[in-house]
Amino acid sequence: EFDLNQAGGRATLAMRNGALDLPGIFDEPVLDVDQLRAQARWQIDGQQLRLQLDNLHFANADAAGRLRLAWRSSEPDASGGGRLPGVLDLSGSLSRAQAQRVHRYLPTVLDAQARNYVREAVQAGVVTGAQFRVKGDLRELPFRDPRQGEFRIAAQLRDVVYDYAPA
């Protein structure tokens, strides 16, 4: 269901047995979706874009959980930096996940070496519950100073195989 105009809109989203194509966000941009439900709102105000997803519930073979997301385009910085990747306020939880697939969901704004390390180091296991939060201007990720933003993941794990120094 959609209700939109030139200034923005809102939508109720529901998907079964589909896929999301998110180029530029993840190394593997196409994510299979068994189930997805969400309420979405967006606003366009000149050069400023805003998006909010409420009560997003998702499930696929890799994971199941829920999240809340608010995103807006960045203000141009003094060095001429553009409005992307934007400012994010994301919080969510997982009720289950395959630990060896977690690397697929690390955004490309994280250093490629860090994403590759997670892919190689986490070889097996089950996430039985997790909470995550990312808040701040994504140009600053990873946040070196807590005043810049927050990146936090807390998880309960079982049967994990972890190679802390992969070849």
Side-chain angles (χ1 to χ4, degrees):
E1 295 179 29
F2 291 94
D3 179 9
L4 55 110
N5 60 42
Q6 67 277 6
R10 59 186 157 149
T12 300
L13 307 170
M15 181 188 301
R16 281 189 159 227
N17 302 321
L20 295 174
D21 189 354
L22 303 168
I25 296 176
F26 302 114
D27 287 332
E28 298 176 39
V30 178
L31 302 176
D32 291 331
V33 174
D34 294 339
Q35 294 182 19
L36 180 126
R37 299 189 315 273
Q39 303 291 319
R41 294 181 302 202
W42 62 94
Q43 181 180 14
I44 304 166
D45 185 10
Q47 296 293 312
Q48 185 71 39
L49 305 174
R50 294 182 183 278
L51 170 67
Q52 185 160 338
L53 296 176
D54 295 315
N55 301 316
L56 188 143
H57 295 263
F58 61 91
N60 66 12
D62 296 336
R66 56 186 229 149
L67 62 86
R68 186 195 70 66
L69 174 145
W71 174 89
R72 66 175 171 79
S73 52
S74 299
E75 295 298 327
D77 63 16
S79 67
R83 297 184 175 278
L84 296 178
V87 178
L88 181 65
D89 184 354
L90 168 74
S91 58
S93 62
L94 297 175
S95 56
R96 65 165 176 81
Q98 297 300 315
Q100 71 275 16
R101 301 292 287 165
V102 167
H103 71 91
R104 289 195 70 208
Y105 303 92
L106 297 176
T108 57
V109 296
L110 289 176
D111 182 74
Q113 285 183 311
R115 297 190 319 270
N116 291 336
Y117 175 80
V118 171
R119 185 183 69 242
E120 298 298 322
V122 181
Q123 299 176 354
V126 177
V127 178
T128 58
Q131 296 77 42
F132 51 91
R133 176 119 170 110
V134 180
K135 183 177 181 180
D137 191 326
L138 296 174
R139 289 184 289 209
E140 305 297 330
L141 192 65
F143 306 115
R144 301 191 194 302
D145 181 335
R147 293 174 292 196
Q148 291 177 315
E150 179 181 2
F151 182 93
R152 181 180 56 82
I153 301 171
Q156 299 81 42
L157 307 167
R158 187 180 74 232
D159 302 327
V160 172
V161 176
Y162 177 71
D163 181 356
Y164 66 89

